[in-house]
Amino acid sequence: MAPVDPHSFTESTQPATTHIALTLYFDFPSSTIHASALFTLQTPHSGPFFLDTRSLTIHSALHADQAIPFSLSATSDPIKGTLLTLTLSNHSSFILTFSTSPSSSALQWLLPPQTCNKTHPYVYTQCQAIHARSIFPSHDTPARRIRYSAILNIPSELSAVMAANHVTRRPPRDDDAPALASLNLNWCSQDRVVEEFVMEQPVPPYLFAFAVGQLGNREVGPRTRVYAEEGSAVLDSAAKEFEGTEEMIREGEKLFGEYDWERFDLLVLPPSFPYGGMENPKMVFLTPTVIKGDGSGAQVVAHELAHSWTGNLITNKTNEHFWLNEGFTTYAERRIVEAVQGEKRATLNVGIGWRGLNEEVERFKDNLEFTKLKNNQQGIDPDDVYSQVPYEKGFQFLFRIERQVGRSAFDEFLKKYIAKFKFQSIDTDTFLDFLKENIPGIEKQIDLVLWTEGTGIPSDAYEPELIVYKTIVSLANEAATGRMPGEDEVADWQGQEWELYLDNLPKSIEASQIVALDSRHKLSESKDYEVKVSFLQRAILCGCKEYYGEVEKTLKAVGRMKYLRPLYTALVKGSEEDKVFAKRVFSEARECYHPIAQSVVVSIFSKHM
C-alpha cells in the first residue's frame, strides 16, 4: 500500500487515469445527476484498482459489455469518503454508471427563489479541495491530472458552462448515453438539450467545474466573456466591473509567460457561492460580492488569473503543500495589481494580508502545525484548516527571496520555474531543490527550512512601509484614545483603506466608539462586504446589539465563507444570548449555504459550543 495523498485512496502502484469521458443527466426535481464515465488508464492493469467516491451510488462497472467486479467499502471515512475497488484483468479502460446524492458535498442545487432572477433552478460545483469524488469516481488528488470530455443533458430552457471548451449545443441523440439505458431516463425528451464540452489540457480533479441555469453573457475582451443569470442586474454590473480583464491578462503574460488556456471567461454565481473566486481554468467562478462598482473587485479576478500560471499550470502535489498554489498566486496577483492599478493598491493588499496572517497565527496558537507552509494533514480535513497562512506566509516567503536577489533576477527565476514544471504537480522539496539549483547559495542567505517548516512568522518577514499604510494603521491605533478619523482624513478612502483601518482597531475600543464611527461613515450600510463584515465583526465583539439585525441580514444574504467564519465565530464566542442568536440564524439560513460552507459553520459551533 503506497498512498500518494493523505486525503485520497489513490495508490502510487496503480496506473493513472489519463482521460474520462463523462455523460451527465441532470434531474433537477430530485437534485441528482445520473451519469456514466469511460475511464482510460495510462497502462493496462490487473488486480485491485482504487477510486475515491463520496455519497455516490454505483450501478455498474463494464468493459466491452462485460461486468467488472466492484465493491464499495463497508464504512465511509469521514474525510476521504468511500473506497471504490474494481478488480481489473489487464484492462486499460472501463465504464462506470452511477448517480450522485442530493447531499453531494460538491454540488449546490438552488430552487428558483434562491437564485438572482427568481425564475429558474440552478446548480453549480465547488470541487476544491476534495469534493470532485462526490460528482464522479476519481483519483481525487492534485497529484493526478486528467483530461476529460463531457456531455450534459439539461432542461432546454437552461444553459451550461464548464471549465472546458464548449463544443456544441444540440438536441439529444439515442446514441449519446448507451450505458445509461438501464436507468430509463427521458434522455431524448423534447424539453431536453445537450451541451458538449472538452478539456484538452490535463488538470487536477479539483478544477472540474460546471454550472447550469438560465445564463446570459457579455463580451468584455478578446478572450473574456462574463456570464451571470439572465435577467438579473448582476450581469451588466459584472461586465462593467471586469471590463479591464484583458489588460490584466497581458500584464500576466509579460510577467509569467504565455497564457496557455485560450479563454479566460468569468461566471458570477448566486450569492451562496462559498468563496471569493475559484480559478477553474477557462471559466473562473466568482461571488457577486466582488462587484463593488468601483473596479476594485477586479483584484479578485487578478488572483484567479494568476492561478492560470501558479496553481493550474503548476499544482501542489497534495494539500500539505497548498502554499505552492496560493503563496505563489498571491505574489503573482499583487504584481499584476501593481502593474495595472499602481503600487499603492498592491501595498494596501500586502498590509491587509499582513494583518490577516497575524490573526491566523493567533487562531492556530493551540495547533501551530498549521502555521507551517509545509505541514502534516494526516487525518485532517483540508476544509477545517483552510486559512490565509498558505496565501500570506507563502507570499512573504517569495517576497523575501525577491528582496534578497532583486526583482529582475526573481522574475527570470519565476519564468524558468513555470516553464520547467508546467502541467505538473510538485511538492515543497521539489521547489526548494529548483530554487537552490537556479539561485546558488540562496540557502545561506535565507533560512529556507525555517520559512517552509517553521511555525509562526519568521523575523525577516515584511510589514509594509509605504506612508499611506502607516498612516491608516496609526489612525486605527489612535482609537484607543477615543480619536476617530476626520472627514478630511478619509475623503479619498476606498474599501481597502477602510478594511485596513477596521482590521487594525485595538481590541479595547468601546461600543460607543463603534456607534459613533458608523454614525459618521455609515460602514454598516457599505456595499463593500469586506468593509461591512469587518465593521459588523467589531460591533459583535463590542456587544453592540443594535447591529444584530444587520448581522442577521448579512448572514442570510451571502454564503461566502470569508464572511460567515468571522461573524459566526464572533457570535459563538460571546454571551449565551449571542450563541442562541447564531444557532437560530444558521438554522434559517443553512439551506442557502453551499454544503462546504454548512460544514464550516457546523465545525465553528462544535468547537465553541
Side-chain angles (χ1 to χ4, degrees), residues 97-353:
T97 61
F98 54 94
S99 298
T100 64
S101 163
S103 63
S104 166
S105 60
L107 296 169
Q108 184 170 24
W109 300 83
L110 298 172
L111 297 171
Q114 296 173 304
T115 66
C116 293
N117 64 21
K118 310 296 184 185
T119 60
H120 290 79
Y122 199 108
V123 64
Y124 69 89
T125 59
Q126 176 54 42
C127 290
Q128 195 179 45
I130 52 170
H131 300 282
R133 66 194 68 185
S134 70
I135 303 176
F136 60 97
S138 59
H139 292 137
D140 192 8
T141 166
R144 295 284 175 89
R145 304 172 78 95
I146 55 168
R147 294 176 174 87
Y148 66 86
S149 60
I151 295 175
L152 280 60
N153 185 305
I154 62 176
S156 58
E157 70 270 19
L158 306 181
S159 57
V161 295
M162 284 197 82
N165 291 331
H166 186 256
V167 177
T168 188
R169 178 182 171 99
R170 60 169 176 79
R173 298 194 300 258
D174 288 329
D175 60 354
D176 283 333
L180 296 178
S182 62
L183 299 183
N184 298 316
L185 305 174
N186 293 319
W187 184 271
C188 289
S189 174
Q190 290 185 345
D191 62 352
R192 308 288 295 189
V193 69
V194 158
E195 303 246 28
E196 290 188 45
F197 300 87
V198 61
M199 170 52 85
E200 296 172 338
Q201 295 97 328
V203 295
Y206 74 82
L207 292 177
F208 177 85
F210 62 71
V212 179
Q214 190 183 48
L215 303 175
N217 67 80
R218 301 284 187 273
E219 204 87 35
V220 297
R223 290 179 273 192
T224 305
R225 290 189 194 95
V226 173
Y227 292 80
E229 288 181 75
E230 190 69 84
S232 71
V234 172
L235 185 53
D236 289 333
S237 299
K240 183 171 179 58
E241 187 86 11
F242 307 132
E243 60 188 1
T245 299
E246 179 61 25
E247 182 183 2
M248 291 195 296
I249 298 174
R250 290 197 297 266
E251 289 297 334
E253 288 181 314
K254 288 178 189 176
L255 290 166
F256 312 116
E258 184 180 359
Y259 181 79
D260 280 315
W261 303 95
E262 298 100 29
R263 299 287 305 175
F264 184 71
D265 292 329
L266 308 170
L267 171 66
V268 181
L269 287 135
S272 59
F273 184 58
Y275 292 99
M278 181 62 209
E279 64 268 20
N280 307 309
K282 305 175 189 279
M283 183 62 69
V284 164
F285 284 9
L286 296 168
T287 168
T289 63
V290 303
I291 302 172
K292 302 177 182 181
D294 60 3
S296 62
Q299 293 180 20
V300 175
V301 174
H303 184 89
E304 307 313 328
L305 169 64
H307 269 302
S308 301
W309 292 274
T310 53
N312 297 3
L313 270 188
I314 305 175
T315 307
N316 51 239
K317 202 167 192 176
T318 73
N319 278 283
E320 296 177 319
H321 307 273
F322 191 44
W323 80 273
L324 288 170
N325 275 25
E326 296 300 350
F328 268 92
T329 297
T330 301
Y331 175 86
E333 166 212 333
R334 287 170 182 162
R335 292 292 304 278
I336 293 171
V337 168
E338 181 181 320
V340 175
Q341 297 186 351
E343 183 183 5
K344 175 185 173 182
R345 290 288 140 210
T347 300
L348 288 174
N349 274 345
V350 176
I352 292 168

Side-chain angles (χ1 to χ4, degrees), residues 78-98:
I79 297 170
K80 293 191 286 188
T82 305
L83 169 63
L84 171 61
T85 303
L86 294 90
T87 303
L88 303 183
S89 300
N90 201 36
H91 292 117
S92 59
S93 66
F94 55 85
I95 295 176
L96 298 179
T97 61
F98 54 94

Side-chain angles (χ1 to χ4, degrees), residues 553-564:
K553 181 180 175 182
T554 300
L555 289 171
K556 290 181 175 180
V558 297
R560 187 177 176 184
M561 292 188 294
K562 184 178 183 180
Y563 307 144
L564 302 185

Side-chain angles (χ1 to χ4, degrees), residues 17 43 60 110 137 159 248 329 333 340 377 404 414 440 463 466 489 516 525 533 543 549 561 577:
T17 303
T43 58
S60 66
L110 298 172
S159 57
M248 291 195 296
T329 297
E333 166 212 333
V340 175
Q377 294 189 21
Q404 184 66 43
L414 284 178
E463 182 176 6
L466 201 69
E489 294 172 300
E525 302 170 17
V533 170
M561 292 188 294
E577 185 182 355

